[in-house]
Amino acid sequence: QLNLSQKEQLFRISEVSPRAAVVEAWTLIETAAVKKGLTSGTAIPRTNPRMIVEYLNNSGKFSPESLNLIEQLRRIRNQASHLPDFAITQSEAERYLELAVQSASVIESS
């Protein structure tokens, strides 16, 4: 159980709370983006979701369908954060987790 990969951790979270897993998945992308400097604002650098999606688009490593899913992930993450009655199935959450892990590694490795 030691040294679980981020992906394994996210999948474990999704078994208990798909909603929490989605929020965590987007955080993974944001963390990679901050390291890469995909931020706006000088005093408090904040990730810019549009910049992130654009960066992933320009990487050439994602199909239009995948980019569409990443954009959906961003929207779902916002809903998961702000809507009290938000619900997502575990299998939906797992689809987004896969993509989030992939997105974060593309940002980090390019």
Side-chain angles (χ1 to χ4, degrees):
Q1 242 198 7
L2 285 175
N3 207 0
L4 280 177
S5 74
Q6 288 176 306
K7 187 173 169 180
E8 287 173 282
Q9 288 174 2
L10 288 172
F11 278 86
R12 294 243 172 121
I13 294 169
S14 76
E15 289 169 11
V16 182
S17 172
R19 173 188 188 142
V22 165
V23 174
E24 283 302 311
W26 185 257
T27 303
L28 205 62
I29 294 175
E30 286 189 325
T31 303
V34 168
K35 284 185 200 158
K36 200 54 151 183
L38 299 177
T39 54
S40 52
T42 45
I44 304 166
R46 291 164 41 154
T47 55
N48 180 327
R50 207 168 284 120
M51 277 170 82
I52 293 171
V53 174
E54 215 169 274
Y55 184 86
L56 293 171
N57 183 22
N58 294 337
S59 76
K61 296 198 164 89
F62 293 93
S63 66
E65 294 79 26
S66 293
L67 288 163
N68 197 7
L69 275 176
I70 293 165
E71 183 55 38
Q72 276 183 39
L73 172 61
R74 185 187 67 76
R75 282 199 299 271
I76 285 173
R77 180 250 167 232
N78 287 345
Q79 293 172 353
S81 298
H82 304 296
L83 302 178
D85 58 352
F86 173 81
I88 183 173
T89 67
Q90 187 181 343
S91 67
E92 284 175 315
E94 287 176 358
R95 255 177 66 212
Y96 290 113
L97 300 185
E98 285 287 348
L99 211 51
V101 168
Q102 196 186 342
S103 300
S105 77
V106 164
I107 293 170
E108 282 168 2
S109 66
S110 49

